[in-house]
Amino acid sequence: MKTIPPRQLEVLTFMQAFFKDNDQPPPMSVIARHFGFRSPNAAQYHIDWLLRHGYLERNSLGNLKFSRDKTPQP
């Protein structure tokens, strides 16, 4: 299995911690603010990467969910 790049691992770990505390994934603006990105588009780039590589999925309503099939490897 291909390893996850460090920045995407940081984003995924942050999302999991946020979900644990709030019962929902963080909005793009919260991810952008947490990592110091200038816009939510930078956060979307990392989310898209995680979706393409199977670490995140979309449910039937289009909302993000964590994949049960993949566990990140630094």
Side-chain angles (χ1 to χ4, degrees):
M1 175 186 285
K2 190 174 182 180
T3 60
I4 185 170
R7 186 55 127 184
Q8 278 77 9
L9 180 60
E10 289 175 12
V11 171
L12 183 61
T13 302
F14 171 73
M15 290 179 69
Q16 290 169 331
F18 187 95
F19 186 86
K20 183 178 176 185
D21 293 340
N22 300 286
D23 291 328
Q24 63 183 6
M28 295 300 153
S29 60
V30 171
I31 296 171
R33 187 172 41 251
H34 177 81
F35 288 100
F37 300 149
R38 290 186 179 192
S39 79
N41 289 341
Q44 185 64 53
Y45 168 82
H46 294 288
I47 299 302
D48 290 343
W49 189 96
L50 292 166
L51 283 164
R52 272 193 318 275
H53 290 87
Y55 293 96
L56 293 175
E57 299 173 349
R58 295 228 179 245
N59 66 15
S60 60
L61 298 175
N63 298 325
L64 291 173
K65 67 178 189 172
F66 299 103
S67 174
R68 295 177 189 251
D69 297 338
K70 284 205 170 183
T71 55
Q73 297 178 0

